[in-house]
Amino acid sequence: MFDEDQLKTKIQEISGEILHLVFCVCISGPASVVTMLVAPLLLVLFVPFSPSSGAQLPNQAKAKDLPIATNGQPFPWDRMRLPTTVTPLHYDLAIHPNLTTLDFTGVVRIELDVHEDTNTVILHAKQMQISDVFLLAPEGIKRLKVLEYPRFHQLALLSDSVLIKGRKYEVHLAFAANLSDSFHGFYKGSYRTSSGEVRVLASTQFEATFARGAFPCFDEPAFKANFTIRIIREPRHIAISNMPMVKTVELPGGLLEDHFDTTVKMSTYLVAYIVSDFKSVSKTTQHGISIYAVPEKIDQTAFALDAAVKLLDFYDDYFDIPYPLPKQDLAAIPDFQSGAMENWGLTTYRETGLLFDPEKSSASDKLGITKVIAHELAHQWFGNLVTMEWWNDLWLNEGFAKFMEFVSLDITYPELHDDFFLAKCFEAMEVDSLSSSHPVSTPVENPTQIQEMFDDVSYDKHILAITINSCDVVVFIQHYVCLYIQKWYSGDELDVRAIMDTWTLQEGFPLVTVEVRGREVRLSQERYLKTDDPSPSEGFLWQIPLTYKTSASNTVHRFLLKTKTDFLFLPEEVDWVKFNVDMSGYYMVHYAGEGWNSIIKLLQHSHTALSGNDRANLIHNVFQLVSIEKVRLDTALELSLYLSRETKIMAVTQGFGELVPLYKLMEKRDMKVLENQMKVNLFQDLIDQQEWNDSGSVSQRVLRSYLLLFSCVRNYAPCVTKATQLFNQWKDSDGTMSLPVDITMAVFVIGARTPEGWDFLFEKYRHSLQMSVKSRMKTAMAVSPLQDKLKWMMEQSLIGEIMKTQDLPDVVVSVSKNPHGYQLAWDFLRANWHTMIKKFDLGSSTISYLVTGVTNQYSTREMLDEVRSFFGSLTEETGSEMRCIQQAYETIEDNIRWMDKNLPLLQAWLDKRNRRVSHEDL
């Protein structure tokens, strides 16, 4: 489907200029890439478990040292990780969900491979009733004794005869449980039709450790096996799973049993099945692809279907490794906690991540849907075909999938291209600048620690750290996948290159200080860390591939900084030097001496001499350096003044990203005088240029939406007047008037400021079937100044009847950003903490998002004490050890330091600026 020469040319162009990977410095060509990447990639397809003393059952241990099972007897295994004496080869799983009684029953037969003589099989099961447990051995069928240890979600199956090394056995277990009322395991969902009828479905979400709540299994990623699945259902429903259905059998009582083909070898977290009344649309090209959604929304699936076909075919060609399954289904789930899930052959999504209405959805909606589909389909190779051995190397899954989002969209949807890669880098740096951050590869054991690995560091850091400068990306990725299909490597068994260690085995990232003296450029590195305690930054050293350009030439130069300090010489003296060209590396830069002044002069007089990404990078770096007192606030604010002439979306949004938090910090201290004084509108000219329509490129449309929303929130009179007029016209038409999509958020935000407008918006929200429209309405209602509405909205989101509980985190965090609602959001979080950690799961990215989102704009010691008091009262079982809580403390402490240090500087700069503006007006 792609011209081969064009494809290779495009890929070479990308690999030379844009792509970022953590562990590749191509000094000696593509071969060195594979050599460097071998060491840390703990990948499994067919894992040849080799017995070791650490993997054996502790038969020699004394009973008093062992855990105690639920029946009071010693449990014969004392570790969180399963032993490898026995491993699964094949699961035969039959499951019957009852969507009326909201429970399920099932039977699983697991074929086992025995690596060492043993009489015990240890596997996982969580919150289910186990019965009819048998061993199917060559000698016949034997009943097994069952012990349960709920703390580790483990079962021990005890045989009175030895399972002999090298033989194959089967265990048979019957089980029963309730459908989960959370968003993980085998859980219940529902949706409301346009006529008001509530319909129930059941779907799965097993990553990372929730398959054990759906059926007894070896629930660790390295225990790959084949799965043959059968699902019993009522005729009014359909069932789908990872593989195509091969037949349907009629059962007594009017039930049907769907039989699905056997899967390829895969990890338990990738198993998926759904029982629902969904409809589907399909296309067949190189692959059979179908989109599933609730019946009334199936007409919103056309774009996703076309995108999935295009992207899956692209990956087939790009990797030169055929997609190994006969079909790929994509399902829009009405109740879904995360953004999407890469289950092999049956990827699942939030409805907002898959459904697109050409008349109602925005340009950013289209971009977001394409990115999430690209991400999940990339996982069909990175993560599914090639899998990390254990969750400490989650970055292998998520980093490469995030990387392929960029590659695939740049080639298959160039019209949607934007600079989201840069934004991802800034997001990762925000987390990685705290002392509570973690290395890319981090030891984890329990489910809470595993869940906490799903953060910006795992998803974004590894793809942003070091630039691929000369590698043929196609050859590299093909070699990478093929190599690990054939063999499993352990990081400890190979020579790990020092350059990789500096990026994977230590947390944080470097700050490079640059000082130009004539032709000499002095370089030094240290860890960038937001703390007043210097000790956590000691002992860090990175090998950093630097890039730079100067006023004398557009040529991009390179220098490998391997030591704490170094220097380089320029061919001639220059007016300015810019390091980290286009933000191609994962480091910040401080321009010491006159460096920042020369950059400010350049931006004021000729800002287009640098690329939009370079300008965004400078805005980000200078404000972040204020936080660690490397740069004065007035220097950063002087640099930001050039933004009045900026038009590139990444630089404009980064300017917003640095300046808006200043508003928010002042809002939460009730500093209206200073806040109003700060409304020196850098963006007024750009805002005034915006038309209230949907014209232009994707970047222009996204920028328009952002600017008009910002101007309305900040009460810029011309925009407020226009938005009010449009909302009243829309309301008078009973919502039938067609509003330009890109301006609807601004219009809704203004409309939601009155009780009548809020109520009208909520009624339209309740009855809308367009998910992107509902999402914009929800956000607008959450930033209303009406406190009674904000409180009611959070309560209804928790109940989940007229507002979806999956949306509760977004609602609470939006309310927390609202100057009229931040105390309401904090009170709500505390009052409903125990309910939310049960619903969304302890350690999940959702809980982390709630904790950091609600608290990250507090800047007083009183609020820090209040936050410490609440989280300090928790137990380990209720979240006291979560990393996000420590990050919340650190962020508030950083905000307090920032305000104490910079408020006088801000006041002085504003006074000086206002005098300057007044003088110019005269």
Side-chain angles (χ1 to χ4, degrees), residues 656 660 687 690 692 701-716 719-720 723 742-750 753 776 779-781 783:
F656 281 128
V660 168
I687 290 169
Q690 302 305 309
W692 292 67
R701 293 180 62 186
V702 171
L703 181 59
R704 175 188 299 120
S705 181
Y706 203 111
L707 286 167
L708 294 180
L709 175 61
F710 172 79
S711 63
C712 286
V713 170
R714 304 313 311 173
N715 295 312
Y716 180 50
C719 289
V720 171
D742 297 337
I743 70 167
T744 51
M745 181 69 92
V747 172
F748 292 161
V749 162
I750 294 302
R753 290 182 172 181
R776 289 192 288 275
T779 301
M781 290 186 293
V783 299

Side-chain angles (χ1 to χ4, degrees), residues 678-691:
M678 204 184 154
K679 291 177 182 176
V680 179
N681 202 332
L682 294 174
F683 307 102
Q684 181 174 334
D685 289 344
L686 194 56
I687 290 169
D688 289 341
Q689 294 169 23
Q690 302 305 309
E691 298 178 357

Side-chain angles (χ1 to χ4, degrees), residues 125-417:
K126 180 182 178 182
Q127 294 178 348
M128 59 176 58
Q129 298 174 341
I130 304 296
S131 61
D132 298 334
V133 183
F134 300 101
L135 176 71
L136 283 69
E139 308 85 56
I141 299 176
K142 301 179 181 179
R143 184 174 291 275
L144 297 175
K145 181 179 179 181
V146 181
L147 298 178
E148 298 184 44
Y149 187 53
R151 184 185 172 199
F152 288 173
H153 309 153
Q154 289 175 356
L155 297 178
L157 311 182
L158 307 182
S159 170
D160 54 13
S161 59
V162 174
L163 280 64
I164 299 171
K165 176 182 177 180
R167 288 192 181 181
K168 302 292 189 294
Y169 296 83
E170 283 189 7
V171 290
H172 171 287
L173 303 95
F175 55 92
N178 292 322
L179 288 169
S180 172
D181 59 2
S182 67
F183 295 98
H184 46 260
F186 193 23
Y187 70 96
K188 65 181 180 184
S190 66
Y191 70 94
R192 191 181 298 270
T193 68
S194 57
S195 64
E197 179 189 358
V198 175
R199 296 184 181 178
V200 178
L201 63 137
S203 59
T204 58
Q205 171 62 38
F206 290 162
E207 191 178 41
T209 59
F210 301 115
R212 64 192 66 177
F215 60 96
C217 58
F218 295 76
D219 198 15
E220 295 178 7
F223 289 100
K224 290 194 170 188
N226 303 105
F227 295 82
T228 302
I229 295 173
R230 291 170 287 140
I231 298 176
I232 299 173
R233 60 177 173 86
E234 296 179 59
R236 63 193 175 105
H237 294 132
I238 65 164
I240 53 177
S241 186
N242 304 84
M243 296 295 285
M245 185 170 59
V246 293
K247 66 177 178 179
T248 298
V249 177
E250 293 187 7
L251 300 179
L255 296 174
L256 301 175
E257 183 178 66
D258 294 330
H259 293 232
F260 296 90
D261 207 351
T262 301
T263 71
V264 296
K265 279 187 177 293
M266 64 183 192
S267 305
T268 49
Y269 78 89
L270 295 171
V271 173
Y273 37 87
I274 301 169
V275 178
S276 68
D277 68 341
F278 287 176
K279 301 297 184 184
S280 66
V281 294
S282 302
K283 273 190 179 179
T284 301
T285 55
Q286 296 182 37
H287 312 286
I289 297 180
S290 300
I291 311 286
Y292 287 82
V294 302
E296 290 183 311
K297 297 175 184 175
I298 197 66
D299 60 348
Q300 299 177 50
T301 58
F303 176 75
L305 181 60
D306 289 341
V309 168
K310 196 171 186 178
L311 287 162
L312 198 64
D313 286 352
F314 165 75
Y315 285 141
D316 242 9
D317 295 344
Y318 187 86
F319 297 138
D320 198 24
I321 297 170
Y323 175 66
L325 302 188
K327 60 94 175 175
Q328 171 63 231
D329 295 336
L330 299 84
I333 310 297
D335 292 291
F336 201 75
Q337 177 177 337
S338 56
M341 177 60 206
E342 66 265 24
N343 316 300
W344 216 348
L346 174 53
T347 51
T348 47
Y349 303 78
R350 274 201 180 199
E351 289 185 320
T352 51
L354 206 61
L355 303 181
F356 182 85
D357 184 336
E359 301 298 319
K360 301 289 185 180
S361 300
S362 68
S364 57
D365 293 330
K366 178 180 283 190
L367 175 62
I369 289 168
T370 312
K371 281 163 55 177
V372 75
I373 293 173
H375 184 99
E376 303 312 323
L377 295 186
H379 270 309
Q380 308 303 296
W381 284 263
F382 293 106
N384 299 6
L385 183 64
V386 181
T387 313
M388 75 264 145
E389 181 201 5
W390 182 243
W391 297 107
N392 59 300
D393 281 318
L394 174 69
W395 62 269
L396 290 169
N397 279 21
E398 299 303 342
F400 273 107
K402 182 65 69 176
F403 167 72
M404 290 310 300
E405 281 181 34
F406 184 82
V407 177
S408 61
L409 262 68
D410 195 69
I411 295 175
T412 60
Y413 285 94
E415 73 278 10
L416 294 180
H417 173 74

